[in-house]
Amino acid sequence: MRDKISQLFCLQKNACKNNSTDCRGDKMCQAKSRVMGQRVPTVPLEQKGPKRQRPTHQGPGGCGRSGIFVSPSGLLVRTGSVGVSFIIWLACGLLSLLGALAYAELGTMNTSSGAEWAYFMDAFGPAPAFLFSWVSTLVLKPSQMAIICLSFAQYAVEAFVSECDPPMSVVKMVALLAIVMILFVNCYSVNLGMAVQNIFTAAKLVSVIIVICGGAWKLIQGNTQHLSSAFNGSTPTFGAIATAFYTGLWAYDGWNNLNYVTEEIKNPSKNLPRSIIIGIPLVTLCYTLINISYLAAMSPTEMIESEAVAVTFGNRILGVMAWLMPLSVTISTFGSANGTLFAAGRLCFAASREGHLLDILSYVHVRRLTPAPGLIFHSLIAAAMVLYGTIDSLIDFFSFTAWIFYGGSMLALIVMRYTKPNYPRPYKVPIIIPIVVLVISLYLVVAPIIDTPRIEYLYACLFILAGLIFYIPFVKMGMTPRFMNKVTLFLQLLLEVVPTSSMAMFE
């Protein structure tokens, strides 16, 4: 019986690969298979799955993670003065806007899910695309989720511990619990995941409004002493500015999340750039006002010493209602983590269906139509990072690695302007924008290595190159260990997942 099921799944997978165009043309194309003895459709190609959505669930809420509640103190430490930190915040917002506009051109050229992976495939071929999926699946997306869940746990525990720093073991346990909850939401339903994102983005806006209004009240009272001497302090070094950018850019990270779900966006050629142009400047303005509000309520030294800046701010401003601040921040960070896992599952799906990752990671649940294996895989790695990492170390490691590939995407856009000049481009940016972002990304990668060489940077580079060890035999040569068929079949039966053709569940 197990052999028959295995053969049936393999035959069906090959049929999807060979006849995906035909299936797309037939709305009633529903290949049948048996799972656990029951006859079920693998995935109806046009009839099931969520409708295309406008990018509300990943708009301003996708750009702007928990960083504004974590990064201000770290950025002050690395810049040495309030004034320079403000310049870095604004520069990070501008860089994110330029990068997102360039990504909008890439996203409207190639509307398949996968973002950088798809662009590297178009511009450079399968090897660089595999290296991105390798690093993103094992490092970038899980570390994003780990950082956000640690931030969530820090604020959630801080609300109940006022006399001393919260125990790290408790913080990590709460972060692990958050990962499990987010995993359940995204495995249960795509629509539920989007609903959670929309609702929790609204909570983020509430916390931002509380901070800005509280800061405005303090400024009206005349508390401007910490802003009047903004540029007093030490001058940051060449490398320290780059690492300060790491901290600031973490707060803006998520500006490329829409490109992971372009297949699910209604009319992406219009809605994708529109979301970027409206969302990122709004986020930049909010971040600037929040930093002014922090400094109206506390000194730079107090900000640096605070483990949860927003909680300290709430205690100073809100009095008996101070509990509102940690509550709104925890809800906000939970929504950010949800959005991160939502995008990570789509990257896994896109890369796996082309053979760049394990086949099982491209399978979907037979009833809920969610990419459950990819979501579970990312969550397990994120949980390991929560156990063995800290927020600051994970931010540095993530930012250094991420900007290698962000720069690569800018290079891909420039290359395709010359290799594919006649390719349809519903949205087109001036060529100077990707060039500027590429130069800045090179600076962000090289400057920290020159200024303060650390073994972690070498590990990151070696890990990227190590992907070639797996690419050559398993992707290029197509070798597959014999036991993998049994493992795949076991996981299919356990998770009730099956293969599907090119993102048909989202059509």
Side-chain angles (χ1 to χ4, degrees), residues 24 37-38 64 72 100 127 239 252 315 322 328 419 430:
R24 278 180 174 272
Q38 296 181 351
Y252 289 94
N315 292 334
S328 58
T419 59

Side-chain angles (χ1 to χ4, degrees), residues 202-426:
K204 179 187 294 186
L205 295 178
V206 170
S207 61
V208 167
I209 291 171
I210 291 174
V211 173
I212 292 175
C213 291
W217 176 251
K218 278 291 185 181
L219 290 174
I220 292 172
Q221 292 178 334
N223 293 305
T224 60
Q225 62 272 24
H226 303 308
L227 297 170
S228 58
S229 56
F231 288 93
N232 291 349
S234 59
T235 303
T237 63
F238 181 75
I241 293 176
T243 54
F245 264 92
Y246 285 175
T247 306
L249 286 168
W250 164 250
Y252 289 94
D253 198 76
W255 50 264
N256 63 329
N257 267 7
L258 280 175
N259 290 65
Y260 284 93
V261 292
T262 46
E263 287 186 70
E264 301 170 56
I265 297 175
K266 187 181 296 183
N267 196 3
S269 62
K270 290 184 178 180
N271 288 324
L272 185 58
R274 184 181 299 165
S275 292
I276 291 166
I277 293 170
I278 294 174
I280 295 181
L282 178 62
V283 170
T284 304
L285 175 63
C286 288
Y287 283 3
T288 303
L289 295 176
I290 287 173
N291 276 278
I292 293 173
S293 298
Y294 284 155
L295 289 166
M298 63 189 92
S299 68
T301 303
E302 290 172 322
M303 285 181 63
I304 291 171
E305 292 176 351
S306 174
E307 290 290 332
V309 180
V311 171
T312 304
F313 177 88
N315 292 334
R316 296 282 181 85
I317 299 293
L318 301 178
V320 295
M321 300 297 290
W323 56 270
L324 280 175
M325 205 65 241
L327 176 64
S328 58
V329 172
T330 52
I331 293 175
S332 166
T333 49
F334 188 90
S336 296
N338 178 76
T340 298
L341 187 61
F342 186 92
R346 274 65 191 166
L347 168 66
C348 229
F349 182 93
S352 299
R353 72 187 180 191
E354 298 296 333
H356 283 193
L357 294 174
L358 297 175
D359 287 343
I360 190 67
L361 298 181
S362 68
Y363 291 3
V364 297
H365 195 275
V366 292
R367 293 185 301 277
R368 306 197 182 281
L369 306 180
T370 55
L375 297 171
I376 294 171
F377 183 72
H378 275 96
S379 298
L380 289 174
I381 300 176
M385 290 184 171
V386 164
L387 290 174
Y388 298 104
T390 63
I391 292 177
D392 290 336
S393 64
L394 288 172
I395 286 177
D396 285 350
F397 185 69
F398 163 81
S399 299
F400 174 80
T401 310
W403 277 94
I404 293 176
F405 291 103
Y406 291 157
S409 296
M410 298 302 108
L411 183 60
L413 191 155
I414 297 168
V415 167
M416 285 192 287
R417 284 287 182 93
Y418 295 97
T419 59
K420 299 182 178 182
N422 298 321
Y423 204 88
R425 290 175 169 84

Side-chain angles (χ1 to χ4, degrees), residues 1 5 8-9 32-40 493:
M1 180 65 181
I5 294 174
L8 187 57
F9 279 149
K32 302 289 184 176
S33 64
R34 291 183 180 273
V35 179
M36 295 185 177
Q38 296 181 351
R39 190 171 178 81
V40 296
L493 295 171

